Amino acid sequence: MADYPALHMAIDGERVSGGGRRTLAVVNPATGDTLGELPLADAADLDRALDAAQRGFRRWRDSTPQERAAVLSGAARLMAERADELARVASLEQGKPFAEARIECMMNVGLFNFYAGECQRLYGRTLVRPVGFRSTVTYEPVGPVAAFSPWNFPLGNPGRKLGAPIAAGCSVIMKSAEETPASALGVLQCLYDAGLPTDVAQAVFGVPDEVSRHLLGSPIIRKLSFTGSTAIGKHLAKLAADDCKRTTMELGGHGPVLVFDDVDVDKVLETVVPQKYRNAGQVCVSPTRYMIQDGVFDRFLQGFVERAKAVKVGDGLADGTQMGPMANPRRPDAMERLIGDAVGHGATLHTGGQRIGNRGFFYAPSVLSDVPVESQIMNEEPFGPVAILNRFGAEEAMVEEANRLPYGLAAYAWTADAHRQRRMGRALEAGMVGINTAMIGGADSPFGGVKWSGHGAEDGPEGVQACLVTKAVHEG
Ligand code: NAD
């Protein structure tokens, strides 16, 4: 296809493709058409990447903070210049509206600029000791990182996976999702063009289980950074544990939204409905279980359904599209299963609940209410354009339901009561809590979860710290 880049892996400075390797078709989720053929790594490719990562680490750990900052801010500048093209490719291979992809690109710009500053502020400390003695605490890069990123934020996830190790002085081998390779390669290219040595960051693709077993089986890799489902995260954490590798795990969620009856219903809906259908609900911090107090339930439900019906679904590159297709055929299948099961358990389906058209992976914005707690969708991350609206009375019952699941990524509460706002900030078991807002991230703010949603954080100073190890040196 003319306007889709040729696909390759980036191993030790070479663009690797062909050579009898297995390939995988990359598909446009809006049409089902093939965009390109992606080469998949074999064991020799991965070994070559590991050797280069070792070399790249030895070089980059001794770079000055100013060199790292220059690369990160240079890449940020290039990403801003290339934002339209990067967003177009991301929309083409993942399906999301162009405007959303462009915002994602600009978030990377913000993150790289933040890390450019942060890597110059990695201070240690000197301990108080008797005369003649000295003890210092310093932070050193952990070593080569294996980073696996998913398809839902084709630009943002690779930005996170690359930015933190590079800021910390590590090398990184990234395997981003095979569904969205060109976006990840576009981000990596900005780093190369800004002067990053090619052995410091590499991109491989492959059969995920083969790649992760190979890389995590190597003593060269000292850290795993994974974003994806809890099931795969647990499996990878076990592989990493065999070699005591450091881990950052950003896993699934099942975001509770507590709506109290003191809110301005229309104002809340203006925020939470677009938030629900952003990226067709394929967002780890997506709001999923809405707990709505009696006093506003009927109005909230009616307003939600009206707005859901009005969401304009279409090709991400078409003007006016508010929601694109789902990213791959597994997602509409999952929607059918989860919504069918909920209705089977007695839930009411108010809108959606079906695929749209017979091309691509479109699924209608859906709203369920009165969903029994035994339904699969009340327990399994939906990861799609479906809202679950349930009626509640007391605050205690809402908090109990919010914390019922083993997930703890994002939680939201809407209330005008200042005391309750503070109570919610403490009571909700999540790594990120939004009170009267859907905005729960930022370049300077840690992004991560608790419980089955993982551990460690990306972004913020914490993102760089996660790629550093602590060393104490005692001199007598
Ligand atoms: P999946 O769990 O198979 O894959 C998720 C990601 O992990 C993909 O990028 C995939 O390439 C990668 N992956 C899978 N197996 C791997 C392995 N053995 N080693 C290394 N990487 C591996 O699921 P999926 O069908 O792509 O997505 C389904 C579920 O994943 C969703 O329902 C959602 O719960 C979760 N998910 C979460 C996020 C997130 O941001 N936390 C993103 C995408 C998907």
Side-chain angles (χ1 to χ4, degrees):
M1 174 168 283
D3 51 3
Y4 185 74
L7 296 169
H8 60 272
M9 295 186 282
I11 299 177
D12 198 9
E14 269 182 55
R15 287 180 172 225
V16 175
S17 55
R21 285 179 184 77
R22 294 163 297 172
T23 62
L24 184 74
V26 177
V27 168
N28 179 344
T31 61
D33 295 340
T34 296
L35 291 166
E37 289 293 329
L38 181 68
L40 303 182
D42 53 31
D45 292 324
L46 298 173
D47 283 338
R48 214 147 58 86
L50 284 164
D51 286 346
Q54 179 77 297
R55 193 176 346 107
F57 174 57
R58 291 190 177 130
R59 167 213 297 271
W60 200 240
R61 72 177 171 194
D62 292 333
S63 62
T64 65
Q66 290 73 24
E67 277 175 76
R68 295 177 212 162
V71 165
L72 286 163
S73 56
R77 205 165 38 248
L78 292 171
M79 249 181 313
E81 279 170 27
R82 299 173 189 174
D84 284 346
E85 180 54 17
L86 288 167
R88 195 187 61 80
V89 167
S91 179
L92 206 53
E93 57 185 15
Q94 197 267 355
K96 67 176 63 186
F98 173 82
E100 271 183 35
R102 206 174 186 290
I103 291 170
E104 192 183 324
C105 186
M106 296 315 287
M107 285 168 71
N108 266 354
V109 171
L111 184 64
F112 278 23
N113 279 326
F114 178 81
Y115 279 160
E118 205 56 26
C119 71
Q120 300 180 73
R121 292 190 287 267
L122 300 177
Y123 308 121
R125 66 186 198 274
T126 305
L127 308 181
V128 179
R129 289 290 180 268
V131 173
F133 293 83
R134 186 167 66 170
S135 293
T136 52
V137 179
T138 55
Y139 301 107
E140 297 182 349
V142 60
V145 175
F148 305 135
S149 75
W151 39 262
N152 57 337
F153 287 90
L155 299 165
N157 288 326
R160 282 182 168 155
K161 295 292 173 228
L162 294 167
I166 289 169
C170 299
S171 60
V172 52
I173 302 176
M174 175 175 67
K175 188 203 80 62
S176 62
E178 283 67 30
E179 283 101 331
T180 54
S183 305
L185 290 168
V187 174
L188 181 61
Q189 193 61 45
C190 291
L191 285 157
Y192 288 163
D193 292 345
L196 185 77
T198 49
D199 51 8
V200 175
Q202 304 174 85
V204 298
F205 301 100
V207 175
D209 189 51
E210 281 178 27
V211 176
S212 51
R213 281 182 194 278
H214 198 107
L215 295 183
L216 296 177
S218 164
I220 291 174
I221 296 296
R222 295 311 323 150
K223 175 178 165 127
L224 158 69
S225 176
F226 175 71
T227 301
S229 62
T230 295
I232 299 292
K234 287 181 179 180
H235 160 72
L236 294 178
K238 286 174 193 156
L239 292 182
D242 281 342
D243 189 34
C244 291
K245 296 185 202 299
R246 187 105 178 254
T247 53
T248 295
M249 310 301 284
E250 205 270 90
L251 309 178
H254 206 318
V257 188
L258 288 70
V259 183
F260 293 93
D261 56 15
D262 55 12
V263 298
D264 176 336
V265 170
D266 284 325
K267 219 167 141 206
V268 176
L269 288 171
E270 269 163 38
T271 301
V272 300
V273 177
Q275 180 197 12
K276 173 66 255 179
Y277 298 113
R278 178 170 78 109
N279 203 9
Q282 302 164 116
V283 181
C284 53
V285 295
S286 184
T288 49
R289 289 171 295 146
Y290 295 76
M291 292 136 220
I292 302 144
Q293 263 190 327
D294 257 340
V296 291
F297 182 82
D298 293 332
R299 268 195 302 139
F300 192 90
L301 173 62
Q302 190 194 346
F304 205 111
V305 173
E306 279 166 13
R307 286 169 172 81
K309 284 181 175 164
V311 171
K312 195 167 171 226
V313 182
D315 189 314
L317 290 174
D319 277 348
T321 293
Q322 293 171 314
M323 190 182 103
M326 304 200 75
N328 57 54
R330 298 187 294 285
R331 297 319 309 153
D333 288 352
M335 288 303 98
E336 251 167 22
R337 172 175 61 80
L338 291 170
I339 293 177
D341 173 80
V343 171
H345 275 87
T348 307
L349 176 67
H350 296 270
T351 186
Q354 60 194 6
R355 295 168 194 254
I356 303 176
N358 52 12
R359 294 184 79 208
F361 316 131
F362 291 96
Y363 200 86
S366 307
V367 181
L368 290 167
S369 77
D370 306 294
V371 188
V373 79
E374 306 74 41
S375 315
Q376 289 173 10
I377 202 166
M378 288 294 286
N379 299 285
E380 184 182 320
E381 181 177 32
F383 225 64
V386 55
I388 305 163
L389 274 50
N390 282 336
R391 185 191 294 266
F392 277 81
E395 176 182 317
E396 293 71 27
M398 295 163 80
V399 171
E400 198 178 316
E401 166 56 21
N403 293 337
R404 177 180 56 88
L405 292 182
Y407 296 108
L409 192 57
Y412 307 87
W414 293 84
T415 176
D417 179 329
H419 292 293
R420 188 189 273 141
Q421 289 164 7
R422 277 196 293 281
R423 278 202 301 280
M424 290 304 108
R426 283 179 68 92
L428 297 173
E429 294 170 4
M432 294 162 284
V433 178
I435 311 279
N436 295 334
T437 181
M439 302 286 291
I440 52 159
D444 57 354
S445 174
F447 188 99
V450 297
K451 303 198 291 187
W452 280 14
S453 294
H455 54 251
E458 301 188 283
D459 305 355
E462 290 85 354
V464 184
Q465 279 294 338
C467 294
L468 297 170
V469 285
T470 309
K471 180 186 273 179
V473 177
H474 302 279
E475 298 169 61

